[in-house]
Amino acid sequence: MSTRDDQMDYPLVRTEPRKSGTSGGRRVLVTGLGTFWGGRVAQALEADPDVDVIVGLDVFEPTVELERTEYVRVDANYSILSRIVRATQVDTIIHTFLVVDPTMMSTRSMHEINVIGTMNLFAAASTPDSTVRDVIVKSSTMVYGSAPEDPTWFTEDSPRSRRATQPIERSLEAVEGYVRDFAEDNPHVNVALMRFSNVVGAEIETPLTRLLQAPLVPSLAGFDPRFQFVHERDVVRALLFAFDHHIAGIYNVAGDEQIPWSEVARLCGRRTLPFPPYGTSLIAGPLRRLGLLNLPDEYEMLLKYGRGVDNSKFKRAGFEYLYSSAEAVEEFIESLRLRRTIGAHRPAYRYERDVEQFFRHSPAVVRERPTRDSEATRTPRSAGGYEEA
Amino acid sequence: MAEPEPRSEPPDRNLDLDLDQAAHLPARRDPKPNPDDLDASRMSDVNEWGRSENMRALVRRLYEPIYKHWFRVEWEGLEKIPPGGALLVANHAGAVPSDAPAIMHGIETELGRPIYGLADNFFRKLPVVGTYWNRLGGLPAHPDNAYRLLREQDQLVLVFPEGTKGPAKTWDERYKLRRFGRGGFVEIAMRAGVPVVPIALVGAEESMPILVRLPSLAKAFGLPYMPVTANMLVAGPLGAVAYFPAKFKIKVLDPVYFDVEPDLERYSRSKIMDESEAIRDKIQSALYEMLRNRRSVWFG
């Protein structure tokens, strides 16, 4: 009997053992190493003895301390990517370098990073001699949009109700198109497309967390949309889960339950400041220019209709969430209170190229790797690959 | 993948169940998720569908006098609503329909079960109204919503297959059922493996009869239709909310079970349309029957 889910593009989990590369351990390429996600994922992978090599790409320098990850500075659209992939012989690509916060940069640079970057990434990964076997893409539930016609819960195969009009949504759609094409053309590769809902947590900053930190939380009068949140720890855990289990397919990643916006504000100990529901941009525009309110246009619809995604498919694949939506918000607000009192958790880290090179490659440093067996044969090759690139 | 859970079969799928059989439907083996089970961290009881039982209870208290003393709602065959998920399908009337609140209130007070009303997403676009509509159990009529409620959560769901064409009828067309959409409600019930329970309601048409529609004004305001009601002639602008005290009679008809497997990708279009038409006929003839026996619009 066929269910409606059966038409999913690719199967759930492939259990076929990974093709053992040159030495057995996994060789991972992390894009967006300088972003929150890339950095966190790379940190977690460093602790994994099964991971031999971690290469991180970004236009920005890493913002977290990394021990053995090789950082490669690239231009935004990854033009040298195929050389890196060939030289490092990676078997897994974790693509976290997708801009989902439209306030971060101009539409043009967002297009370069999201669309052109992804295109080049997949072009590099689909060469005939490519060693890539697993691809994990960090997308966003923004691809579902937000409209009055929406179902209360989007499943992975629900289409969006209205055409994407915002640049950010359109670029994410284009990205997902490339992901799908790549998955279709390369059936031997496990492609996991993970759609994350609104992220909150101790460290991440998004347009929504900025709204919730304001003394009065903006809302639209007469509307109380419902939101879903995922905690930043669950985001990293989800990416690692996909990595560990060679997951393939599309997955929504979001905490349980949707919370009305007014309740979110209450959870944060805030009151809402209602804006008129019509002509909102007339008011939000000048406020934005004054720097008083950083509310991207995408959020106008979201503050009217909200968005809910069905997270049960990822749960069925075996993932267990640490936080529900409400717990994620609670955790976020607790860490915010702490930060307000004692300042940042850890001292700010600054990437110094020479220092990092010294620790990674100088013969003077006594290195202890999680695995020691075939280290002698592996390390020079990865270092060589890095130098070439 | 949504593995269909093992379900108990209704005892007799070909026959319309009569009362005795319906009362003996076997209990379900596995408890379904309850949408009202919420996380301990939550500060309100707004559930996964946006419905709030507290707000519903408050509105039930406020609406009870209207239900009892204004419309003097009278039910017949309420016991025919089977346990488990069911799709309730009724005729729709009155410029600002008074039938949905009456049916939902009746089910919740008499059966003690929550009910969700699927409606045009027009409601969702209205500030304030849209929010309260949602908190009181209203949902956009999306097939995914109906499926999840019926199949996965065994809830009661109310739809008006006539859509906005029902309440947009003018006075001279009262109690003449419109086309039942494209039979989407039948398809959803088939996919969810639940029966359709037809409901015939008399009284709503007279509670707010439409004299004439103003299509150009409706267009200007972006409304589905713009009625001039008799209530407005009597009460002025207040007429948009003041109903005439017509006597409401609601008759639950025998549940219709479909002899098909749930969760199929597609169902035969002709079967869907036939079933849809048959259900429409049942409600239509029940309405005529009730009207034949009605002595007075106001006293039943």
Side-chain angles (χ1 to χ4, degrees):
Chain A
M1 183 169 59
S2 82
T3 67
R4 289 206 296 160
D5 281 333
D6 274 348
Q7 57 183 353
M8 277 306 306
D9 327 23
Y10 1 102
L12 201 76
V13 181
R14 278 181 217 155
T15 42
E16 120 200 15
R18 65 166 171 260
K19 190 189 148 197
S20 48
T22 40
S23 55
R26 291 177 78 171
R27 310 172 69 86
V28 189
L29 180 77
V30 180
T31 70
L33 190 69
T35 66
F36 181 82
W37 308 119
R40 282 284 170 287
V41 168
Q43 267 185 335
L45 291 178
E46 284 188 338
D48 184 349
D50 281 341
V51 178
D52 281 357
V53 173
I54 309 158
V55 182
L57 309 180
D58 208 319
V59 283
F60 310 109
E61 288 172 341
T63 49
V64 294
E65 214 168 330
L66 295 165
E67 267 172 35
R68 57 188 180 109
T69 302
E70 304 283 355
Y71 165 57
V72 187
R73 182 193 293 276
V74 292
D75 51 350
N77 54 29
Y78 293 160
S79 46
I80 67 165
L81 202 73
S82 58
R83 278 182 65 201
I84 297 175
V85 170
R86 211 176 307 125
T88 56
Q89 299 264 304
V90 291
D91 50 43
T92 304
I93 295 176
I94 304 182
H95 187 31
T96 71
F97 197 21
L98 285 175
V99 180
V100 295
D101 176 358
T103 58
M104 266 170 56
M105 58 185 66
S106 71
T107 304
R108 184 176 293 266
S109 27
M110 189 177 72
H111 178 80
E112 285 294 309
I113 290 177
N114 284 1
V115 181
I116 309 300
T118 307
M119 189 186 74
N120 284 333
L121 181 71
F122 283 125
S126 56
T127 52
D129 57 339
S130 164
T131 49
V132 175
R133 290 298 170 267
D134 288 279
V135 174
I136 301 161
V137 181
K138 180 192 160 294
S139 180
S140 159
T141 55
M142 235 178 221
V143 295
Y144 295 117
S146 180
E149 297 83 9
D150 287 347
T152 306
W153 299 94
F154 277 105
T155 59
E156 283 80 357
D157 48 352
S158 316
R160 57 179 295 150
S161 311
R162 290 187 183 179
R163 252 216 220 134
T165 49
Q166 302 294 343
I168 182 93
E169 295 176 350
R170 288 222 305 271
S171 88
L172 285 176
E173 258 186 359
V175 166
E176 291 209 347
Y178 286 126
V179 177
R180 231 161 277 168
D181 288 350
F182 176 80
E184 234 166 70
D185 298 344
N186 299 274
H188 58 288
V189 179
N190 296 314
V191 181
L193 177 60
M194 327 266 295
R195 293 175 179 154
F196 292 94
S197 87
N198 307 302
V199 189
V200 290
E203 296 173 55
I204 183 83
E205 192 188 310
T206 70
L208 276 188
T209 62
R210 279 198 299 269
L211 290 188
L212 291 172
Q213 288 181 45
L216 290 169
V217 176
S219 67
L220 295 181
F223 288 93
D224 199 7
R226 292 181 308 130
F227 282 75
Q228 218 173 351
F229 296 94
V230 58
H231 192 271
E232 58 186 30
R233 275 180 67 193
D234 275 336
V235 177
V236 176
R237 288 176 67 244
L239 290 169
L240 293 172
F241 182 88
F243 175 80
D244 289 340
H245 294 83
H246 302 272
I247 288 242
I250 307 176
Y251 294 89
N252 292 332
V253 186
D256 284 339
E257 295 180 15
Q258 297 176 39
I259 320 173
W261 185 239
S262 60
E263 191 184 338
V264 176
R266 262 164 68 207
L267 282 167
C268 295
R270 294 278 188 283
R271 306 188 72 110
T272 53
L273 171 69
F275 280 65
Y278 303 106
T280 313
S281 45
L282 288 179
I283 295 173
L287 283 179
R288 181 165 34 204
R289 253 162 269 138
L290 288 172
L292 292 175
L293 176 75
N294 202 348
L295 183 69
D297 292 336
E298 292 76 13
Y299 285 76
E300 197 183 315
M301 285 297 259
L302 204 58
L303 282 177
K304 269 187 182 172
Y305 305 117
R307 185 192 303 126
V309 297
D310 185 341
N311 63 6
S312 58
K313 188 180 169 197
F314 199 40
K315 279 186 185 165
R316 281 199 301 274
F319 185 75
E320 280 171 26
Y321 289 89
L322 289 181
Y323 300 89
S324 71
S325 288
E327 285 164 347
V329 173
E330 252 185 356
E331 171 74 18
F332 155 71
I333 205 67
E334 278 167 17
S335 52
L336 187 68
R337 284 192 210 119
L338 182 67
R339 196 162 70 222
R340 285 210 167 124
T341 317
I342 64 157
H345 288 276
R346 48 189 135 230
Y349 165 78
R350 245 189 100 220
Y351 180 84
E352 298 282 357
R353 188 181 169 88
D354 292 341
V355 175
E356 298 294 334
Q357 288 303 314
F358 169 75
F359 279 117
R360 280 177 179 69
H361 305 299
S362 165
V365 175
V366 182
R367 271 179 286 269
E368 223 173 277
R369 292 285 168 100
T371 47
R372 268 166 229 129
D373 44 352
S374 51
E375 185 188 281
T377 54
R378 276 199 317 270
T379 314
R381 189 163 41 238
S382 68
Y386 174 76
E387 237 70 81
E388 264 169 46
Chain B
M1 314 283 108
E3 282 94 29
E5 291 158 46
R7 289 170 69 91
S8 48
E9 298 281 305
D12 217 338
R13 292 196 139 195
N14 288 324
L15 301 174
D16 291 346
L17 289 193
D18 64 33
L19 286 192
D20 293 331
Q21 280 176 307
H24 293 109
L25 274 174
R28 308 213 171 243
R29 265 170 269 154
D30 45 342
K32 295 292 180 85
N34 180 354
D36 282 325
D37 286 343
L38 296 183
D39 201 273
S41 304
R42 293 288 304 276
M43 292 178 89
S44 78
D45 72 332
V46 177
N47 76 2
E48 68 156 76
W49 297 105
R51 180 182 184 277
S52 158
E53 175 57 30
N54 289 342
M55 206 173 280
R56 215 30 244 182
L58 175 71
V59 168
R60 275 200 299 270
R61 250 202 338 271
L62 297 175
Y63 186 73
E64 180 70 16
I66 303 172
Y67 179 84
K68 263 212 169 110
H69 304 299
W70 195 257
F71 294 130
R72 292 147 292 143
V73 181
E74 223 173 82
W75 283 83
E76 191 190 329
L78 203 53
E79 65 288 347
K80 291 184 188 175
I81 293 173
L87 186 60
L88 277 51
V89 162
N91 57 312
H92 207 19
V96 180
S98 50
D99 39 19
I103 294 175
M104 289 172 79
H105 182 89
I107 302 263
E108 292 197 342
T109 50
E110 314 258 350
L111 293 185
R113 293 180 63 181
I115 178 167
Y116 294 86
L118 300 187
D120 195 281
N121 51 46
F122 164 74
F123 281 102
R124 214 176 159 191
K125 298 178 199 164
L126 301 174
V128 186
V129 176
T131 304
Y132 283 106
W133 168 73
N134 184 222
R135 295 293 171 271
L136 297 175
L139 284 175
H142 193 289
D144 287 4
N145 286 349
Y147 178 84
R148 187 172 160 114
L149 278 164
L150 294 167
R151 178 79 174 143
E152 294 169 16
Q153 300 176 347
D154 274 355
Q155 297 294 319
L156 293 177
V157 176
L158 172 68
V159 291
F160 298 100
E162 290 171 273
T164 51
K165 300 186 298 306
K169 294 192 297 278
T170 47
W171 176 239
D172 53 314
E173 296 167 308
R174 61 190 185 279
Y175 297 115
K176 287 180 194 146
L177 289 183
R178 298 293 147 143
R179 176 167 60 81
F180 268 20
R182 284 167 283 176
F185 71 103
V186 171
E187 197 174 352
I188 270 299
M190 286 176 168
R191 185 163 290 140
V194 299
V196 164
V197 182
I199 291 177
L201 186 148
V202 164
E205 296 272 15
E206 288 85 1
S207 71
M208 195 176 274
I210 297 181
L211 303 176
V212 66
R213 280 190 307 259
L214 306 171
S216 49
L217 217 58
K219 214 175 216 172
F221 284 106
L223 299 169
Y225 55 91
M226 181 73 173
V228 175
T229 62
N231 308 53
M232 291 179 186
L233 293 189
V234 176
L238 255 181
V241 287
Y243 293 105
F244 293 138
K247 168 83 177 170
F248 272 34
K249 282 197 172 171
I250 308 176
K251 187 174 180 185
V252 182
L253 310 179
D254 293 329
V256 180
Y257 288 85
F258 304 108
D259 192 18
V260 291
E261 216 169 321
D263 285 321
L264 294 187
E265 183 63 38
R266 275 175 176 284
Y267 291 91
S268 145
R269 183 82 350 224
S270 65
K271 181 156 170 71
I272 292 171
M273 292 318 288
D274 287 352
E275 295 281 7
S276 162
E277 200 48 39
I279 290 167
R280 183 176 171 278
D281 280 348
K282 270 183 202 160
I283 298 179
Q284 184 71 78
S285 42
L287 282 175
Y288 287 157
E289 177 71 30
M290 290 159 87
L291 291 173
R292 207 172 287 140
N293 294 326
R294 180 169 76 164
R295 302 214 169 133
S296 151
V297 170
W298 315 113
F299 304 106

